[in-house]
Amino acid sequence: MSIGRDEGIARLRLIRTGGIGPVTYIQLLRRFGDPEAALAALPDLARRGGGKAPAVASKEAVEAEVATVKRLGARYLFRDTAAYPALLAEIDNAPAALIVKGDVTLLDRPAVAMVGARNASGIAIRFARQLAHDLAAEGWTVVSGLARGIDTAAHVGSIDGGTVGVIAGGIDVAYPPENAALQDDIAARGLLIAEQPPGTEPRARHFPYRNRIIAGLSLGTLVVEAAPKSGSLITARLAGEFGREVMAVPGSPLDPRSQGANLLIREGATLIQSAADAIEAMGTIGGGVRAGRGASYVPPEPMDAGDAERRVVTDLMGPVALPVDEIIRQSGLPAPIVQTVLLELEIAGRLERHAGGRVSLA
């Protein structure tokens, strides 16, 4: 499926509209068939959800963004098109659009995520760099987040063989600043990926979004040193939720930086001592190594909800996040109807979506 300029602009207006996240975006496209129809339907959907329609991103603002992306030498990959990474498209909250710069053919290879401590020990940095080099030499794309420490080591080790850097902010914003040269090098020799528009300075809320891209692109996530409550463990947890392999390099129990990785191993993560260990572990995912691009969807038949059905769904919900599957089970309603009600609530600003397919009332 290819997308013309006008449809691309309409899709981006939908994506950049406040209150429309990745799940809602794809549901709107499934329900209405094209982004223009979805944009026109927003006021009525918000009314049914009991709120006001969100302010739609202007055509002028989106056209300015598109011009900036082109000037930067980057391009968009839209979900449900042939160019979009197939593994990432499997997760329910995959980004509606990616901004990419560099060698997109790296997305056609099997990928492994490498993450870890920003204040990593010297021996861990050396090991991570060598491990990333060995994985890339075996034809694997190494994915990481361009952070200090282990991320940087992973990119440096694999840049000659294939590396992908996922950015928390805009694709033209270097963070941390000392990695600006590395980020430029990855754009020239590897691939940069961003979800946020150009010029976006990374904020704390952006890093979990970045982490789910790192885990979603990869058949497995490999942790090299991490504190017990670090972002690296969040990435590993997401990998497990996505049905991907979780791996960790063991470290000294005397070093606090090893506690997170050791904890993962104790909880069932695969212990990794070499690239061969990691490749063997990931080869068991899905019955063998999967890679490539080309996301396809079979949209369910849309089903409208009545007032009584809306009350059933909203009465089951509250401020505590509840899995959507549990709402479907307890309501006794068909899944498309429940999804319609949730769609209306989100557009009305009354719904929050959480990791793991959970939702709560705002």
Side-chain angles (χ1 to χ4, degrees), residues 110-133:
V112 54
M114 283 189 63
V115 295
R118 286 174 169 80
N119 64 334
S121 65
I123 193 66
I125 289 174
R126 178 181 177 182
F127 184 80
R129 187 168 59 240
Q130 185 63 51
L131 189 60
H133 173 273

Side-chain angles (χ1 to χ4, degrees), residues 31 77 88 96 102 156 179 196 251 295 303 325 331 346 349 358:
R31 183 175 180 84
L77 302 182
L88 183 59
V156 171
N179 271 355
Q196 305 302 324
M303 296 180 68
D325 288 346
S331 69
E346 185 170 16
R358 298 174 301 130

Side-chain angles (χ1 to χ4, degrees), residues 77 85 88 98-115 132 135-136 139-147 150-168 171 179 182-195 210-218 220 235 292-293:
L77 302 182
L88 183 59
L98 300 170
I99 298 172
V100 298
K101 182 178 181 180
D103 184 4
V104 293
T105 65
L106 290 174
L107 299 174
D108 296 326
R109 296 166 43 175
V112 54
M114 283 189 63
V115 295
L135 285 164
W140 287 73
T141 294
V142 176
V143 182
S144 198
L146 271 160
I150 296 302
D151 286 24
T152 296
H155 290 306
V156 171
S158 59
I159 195 162
D160 289 330
T163 197
V164 171
V166 184
I167 302 168
I171 202 158
N179 271 355
L182 175 61
Q183 185 164 316
D184 290 342
D185 201 15
I186 293 174
R189 302 163 63 194
L191 179 68
L192 287 180
I193 295 179
E195 181 178 12
R210 179 203 64 177
N211 293 346
R212 70 86 155 78
I213 298 174
I214 293 171
L217 283 169
S218 309
T235 307
R293 289 178 282 166

Side-chain angles (χ1 to χ4, degrees), residues 72 217 337:
L72 292 170
L217 283 169
I337 287 182

Side-chain angles (χ1 to χ4, degrees), residues 81-86 89 292-296:
T81 65
Y84 197 89
R293 289 178 282 166
S296 60

Side-chain angles (χ1 to χ4, degrees), residues 225 251-259 262:
E225 284 194 346
S252 169
L254 300 178
D255 190 338
R257 292 169 293 193
S258 296
Q259 289 179 0
N262 291 346

Side-chain angles (χ1 to χ4, degrees), residues 234-255:
I234 293 174
T235 307
R237 176 180 57 79
L238 290 170
E241 291 178 356
F242 300 159
R244 316 294 169 77
E245 189 72 20
V246 178
M247 303 167 286
V249 174
S252 169
L254 300 178
D255 190 338

